[in-house]
């Protein structure tokens, strides 16, 4: 069977559905990118030429309709296919109005999926527009969201360039707002593992009693409310990168299991006695003084040294003031407004005030 070259992006917050779709599409010889949220999908779209978007509708925070509208506006030639577990006539009409080419209700057969994907791609090709030529999807700009030329900034870029093509565990230090997640994404999307998923997890946003289940998954009956087997973030990131933000807030029990995952390259679901191998890169980040937390017995020293195979310290803006003008230019280009047919610019004196501040 001839190999297809199309890149397909799947967006679904249900990891089991995401993995099922990915497995099916790989069987059809497509290249697959996975996102568990609209936010994650937008990051992938910025840096990757995508030939077909497949998205769910019912998702937390930002739903699939908003994603369709965004893609319709920014990538109008990209074919879009919707899969949903909540079919309705009104929903179908809204989906089609938002630019989708087809609308499939779950569950569907392997043959139905194959036919829908082929039909959507064929309709996209019929428009005779190649997504590779879309200017906003340039391939060789892995650090394009990171702006700066200062020595401190270039030092960060240098480390990213050295680690992007290996699986070394990375710990990113930096104050809140310095761009730690941007660094993690640059490591992932600029390297040879960029076709794997990038899964970002805010450890501080998960209650202590749920951290283990969310990270490693659980089996049916493992605890009250566990009515089915479920994979965790480790399984979702298989073949790619798992970004553990605010790692310093992870509870000690989870730290112990993270250490085992790093040492043995395997995890165990909550409620299971069987371990399973995992193949992924771990990038963690913290704004805490981890060494101080180790002294207070709040963080495992052995885990810290496992995480810091490579260490990146992201400098705050006050330590790279020469980059402020570049950032101002970038934000004006991105968010600037026109007044009397001229793009508003920042005054030189105003820029000096920002640099002094």
């Amino acid at each position: 069977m001839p190999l297809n070259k199309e890149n397909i992006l799947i967006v679904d917050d249900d990891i089991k559905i995401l993995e099922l779709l990915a497995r099916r599409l790989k069987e059809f010889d497509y290249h697959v990118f996975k996102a568990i949220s609209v936010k994650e999908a937008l990051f992938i779209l910025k840096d990757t030429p995508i030939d077909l978007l497949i998205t769910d509708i019912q998702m937390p925070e930002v739903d699939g309709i908003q994603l369709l509208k965004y893609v319709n506006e920014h990538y109008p030639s990209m074919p879009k296919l919707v899969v949903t577990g909540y079919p309705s006539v009104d929903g179908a009409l809204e989906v089609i109005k938002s630019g989708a080419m087809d609308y499939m209700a779950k569950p569907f057969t392997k043959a139905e999926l194959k036919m829908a994907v082929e039909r959507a791609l064929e309709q996209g090709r019929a428009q005779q527009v190649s997504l590779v030529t879309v200017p906003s999807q340039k391939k060789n700009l892995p650090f394009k969201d990171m702006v700066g030329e200062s020595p401190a900034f270039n030092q960060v870029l240098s480390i990213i360039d050295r680690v992007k093509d290996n699986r070394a565990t990375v710990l990113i230090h930096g104050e809140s707002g310095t761009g730690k997640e941007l660094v993690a994404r640059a490591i992932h999307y600029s390297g040879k593992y960029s076709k794997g998923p990038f899964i970002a997890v805010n450890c501080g946003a998960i209650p202590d009693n749920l951290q283990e289940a969310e990270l490693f998954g659980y089996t049916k009956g493992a605890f009250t409310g566990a009515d089915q087997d479920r994979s965790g973030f480790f399984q979702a990131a298989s073949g790619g990168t798992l970004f553990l933000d605010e790692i310093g807030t992870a509870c000690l029990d989870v730290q112990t299991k993270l250490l085992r995952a790093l040492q043995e390259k395997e995890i165990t679901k909550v409620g299971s006695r069987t371990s399973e191998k995992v193949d992924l890169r771990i990038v963690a980040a913290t704004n805490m003084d981890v060494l101080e937390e180790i002294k207070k017995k709040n963080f495992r020293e052995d885990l810290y040294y496992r995480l810091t195979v490579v260490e990146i310290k992201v400098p705050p803006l006050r330590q790279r003031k020469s980059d402020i003008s570049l950032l101002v230019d970038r934000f004006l280009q991105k968010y600037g407004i026109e007044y009397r047919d001229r793009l508003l610019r920042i005054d030189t004196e105003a820029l000096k005030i920002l640099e002094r501040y």
Side-chain angles (χ1 to χ4, degrees):
M1 185 166 76
L3 286 177
N4 298 305
K5 300 299 181 183
E6 290 90 347
N7 291 337
I8 298 179
L9 171 60
I10 319 167
V11 189
D12 200 313
D13 63 318
D14 186 326
I15 294 176
K16 291 182 71 174
I17 295 294
L18 197 67
E19 293 300 325
L20 175 63
L21 284 171
R23 189 164 61 249
R24 289 283 185 259
L25 292 171
K26 287 176 182 176
E27 289 175 6
F28 303 150
D29 294 313
Y30 294 110
H31 298 302
V32 178
F33 296 79
K34 298 179 289 185
I36 59 172
S37 68
V38 171
K39 178 184 175 183
E40 178 63 33
L42 295 182
F43 275 104
I44 295 173
L45 285 167
K46 281 195 298 183
D47 297 312
T48 311
I50 296 298
D51 298 299
L52 172 63
L53 170 70
I54 301 178
T55 182
D56 188 19
I57 293 299
Q58 300 288 338
M59 289 184 285
E61 297 181 357
V62 184
D63 65 21
I65 293 294
Q66 296 304 312
L67 175 60
L68 288 172
K69 291 178 179 177
Y70 176 89
V71 171
N72 209 36
E73 179 181 350
H74 292 83
Y75 311 103
S77 59
M78 183 186 300
K80 297 165 281 289
L81 174 62
V82 166
V83 294
T84 180
Y86 304 92
S88 69
V89 174
D90 290 341
L93 289 173
E94 186 176 12
V95 163
I96 299 304
K97 286 179 182 179
S98 300
M101 290 182 168
D102 209 342
Y103 177 90
M104 295 180 64
K106 304 172 188 174
F108 43 81
T109 67
K110 183 176 177 180
E112 288 171 337
L113 174 64
K114 188 173 189 291
M115 186 180 299
V117 168
E118 289 176 349
R119 185 166 57 239
L121 286 169
E122 185 60 36
Q123 289 175 339
R125 284 191 289 267
Q127 296 177 10
Q128 297 182 341
V129 177
S130 172
L131 298 190
V132 178
T133 64
V134 177
S136 60
Q137 289 191 337
K138 296 177 182 176
K139 294 182 73 175
N140 297 319
L141 293 175
F143 307 144
K144 69 188 181 76
D145 286 325
M146 299 180 64
V147 179
E149 294 178 349
S150 64
F153 181 82
N154 285 329
Q155 175 67 18
V156 172
L157 294 188
S158 175
I159 300 173
I160 292 173
D161 196 52
R162 291 203 304 270
V163 303
K164 65 183 182 181
D165 289 327
N166 61 55
R167 294 278 182 165
T169 305
V170 180
L171 181 63
I172 305 170
H173 293 275
E175 298 174 16
S176 296
T178 51
K180 297 186 291 296
E181 185 168 338
L182 282 178
V183 173
R185 291 181 181 276
I187 292 170
H188 176 78
Y189 287 111
S190 64
K192 64 182 182 182
Y193 301 106
S194 61
K195 288 189 176 181
F198 178 93
I199 305 295
V201 181
N202 185 341
C203 298
I206 306 175
D208 288 359
N209 62 329
L210 294 178
Q211 286 181 4
E212 183 180 356
E214 290 294 317
L215 288 173
F216 306 117
Y218 54 81
T219 61
K220 182 177 180 180
F223 50 82
T224 303
D227 54 358
Q228 60 181 351
D229 288 356
R230 180 176 172 181
S231 297
F233 290 117
F234 266 80
Q235 292 92 334
S238 179
T241 300
L242 179 61
F243 175 54
L244 299 174
D245 198 9
E246 294 190 35
I247 188 65
T249 63
C251 63
L252 287 171
D253 285 345
V254 167
Q255 289 180 34
T256 301
K257 292 177 172 61
L258 282 173
L259 180 63
R260 174 176 170 77
L262 291 171
Q263 289 175 332
E264 308 298 334
K265 308 297 182 186
E266 62 183 30
I267 60 169
T268 304
K269 288 183 176 181
V270 176
S272 174
R273 296 180 180 178
T274 306
S275 60
E276 53 186 288
K277 291 291 184 181
V278 288
D279 176 26
L280 72 164
R281 182 221 304 266
I282 298 289
V283 178
T286 182
N287 59 9
M288 301 171 65
D289 184 341
V290 182
L291 293 177
E292 187 62 32
E293 294 302 307
I294 291 172
K295 291 179 182 177
K296 296 177 181 177
K297 307 296 185 183
N298 293 330
F299 201 87
R300 292 185 61 124
E301 185 175 17
D302 45 6
L303 176 59
Y304 171 74
Y305 288 110
R306 280 282 177 179
L307 290 171
T308 52
V309 175
V310 177
E311 196 166 10
I312 300 178
K313 295 184 178 180
V314 185
L317 201 52
R318 64 180 177 275
Q319 293 179 10
R320 51 184 188 103
K321 291 186 178 182
S322 60
D323 291 336
I324 291 176
S325 62
L326 298 174
L327 285 163
V328 167
D329 287 342
R330 170 61 66 86
F331 291 137
L332 283 172
Q333 290 172 16
K334 189 172 182 179
Y335 303 112
I337 60 173
E338 291 185 357
Y339 178 69
R340 293 180 180 175
D341 298 324
R342 294 181 61 188
L343 187 67
L344 293 181
R345 309 295 296 176
I346 189 168
D347 184 81
T348 303
E349 288 303 313
L351 183 60
K352 289 180 179 178
I353 290 172
L354 285 175
E355 290 174 343
R356 286 199 301 270
Y357 180 81

